[in-house]
Amino acid sequence: MKNVILTGFMATGKSAVGRVLAQRLGYKFIDTDNLIAEQAKKSIAQIFQDEGEAHFRCLETELLRQLENAQGLVIATGGGMILPEENFRRLKKLGPVICLTASPEVILARAKRGQTKRPLLNTPDPLEKITQLLEKRKPFYRLADFTVDTSGNNPAEAADSIFTYLKGA
Ligand code: S3P
């Protein structure tokens, strides 16, 4: 297993779970949003504001191209990275794709608590937006090899069930 990919909607715990999983596997943890922000020298929110979502999506694909020969990584992806077909193909080549899920209410509560600014949820009715986006993205998240609901889980528990899945895969 070259790498492990974590996908799933915003605030489903990809970074928190990814860090624990990386430690258990002896892999290095990376977060695609962080790498994109580092390369662009500005936050994701600022990229959305200055250049728009379409440009951000190009940066996501570009980063995946750069990661083509990556090994020994747990890769937490931005929640929309898996949507374009090219990205999905590239992610699958890198390793098993694990999807984290959570209920819209839990997602909203975590998004409110967290430090990360999420431009897509910057709307008058974020719960409605979450529900809409989840519905639209369901067919893409379903393509993952394994899915874990993190609504009632702490990161260590979710990492444990992924670890168990990976051992048997
Ligand atoms: C996005 C998710 C965010 C970030 C950007 C867009 C999305 O990452 O990439 O704000 O389209 O779902 P997280 O899933 O880490 O919040």
Side-chain angles (χ1 to χ4, degrees):
M1 182 173 73
K2 285 195 289 189
N3 309 279
V4 179
I5 318 302
L6 298 186
T7 185
F9 203 74
M10 293 173 256
T12 49
K14 290 166 291 191
S15 298
V17 174
R19 284 203 182 85
V20 180
L21 184 65
Q23 213 166 24
R24 289 202 66 174
L25 292 168
Y27 283 20
K28 187 175 167 226
F29 172 77
I30 65 163
D31 176 302
T32 60
D33 279 351
N34 289 347
L35 291 178
I36 290 170
E38 250 169 50
Q39 291 185 1
K41 298 190 175 57
K42 53 174 128 173
S43 67
I44 302 301
Q46 200 62 46
I47 297 172
F48 268 69
Q49 196 175 311
D50 294 348
E51 283 107 6
E53 181 176 347
H55 179 70
F56 172 71
R57 299 300 173 197
C58 291
L59 297 180
E60 284 191 308
T61 302
E62 177 50 37
L63 180 71
L64 275 183
R65 290 180 187 146
Q66 292 171 23
L67 288 173
E68 188 161 16
N69 298 312
Q71 280 205 21
L73 301 178
V74 171
I75 305 173
T77 66
M81 186 179 250
I82 197 173
L83 306 183
E85 218 265 322
E86 173 182 347
N87 292 2
F88 178 69
R89 242 184 318 109
R90 286 181 178 278
L91 288 168
K92 281 288 298 173
K93 269 198 195 152
L94 283 170
V97 176
I98 314 295
C99 182
L100 304 191
T101 62
S103 69
E105 291 75 16
V106 168
I107 288 172
L108 181 61
R110 286 187 190 151
K112 278 187 176 162
R113 260 201 325 264
Q115 303 291 314
T116 315
K117 284 211 181 79
R118 295 187 164 96
L120 293 178
L121 302 185
N122 193 12
T123 68
D125 189 348
L127 189 60
E128 171 63 21
K129 180 75 178 196
I130 290 168
T131 310
Q132 270 175 15
L133 278 177
L134 273 174
E135 201 48 43
K136 211 165 115 192
R137 291 179 176 184
K138 225 189 252 169
F140 299 93
Y141 292 143
R142 249 193 226 126
L143 299 171
D145 299 298
F146 181 66
T147 299
V148 184
D149 188 340
T150 66
S151 299
N153 268 345
N154 65 37
E157 287 168 334
D160 263 359
S161 54
I162 298 169
F163 190 77
T164 306
Y165 163 75
L166 292 171
K167 270 198 311 195

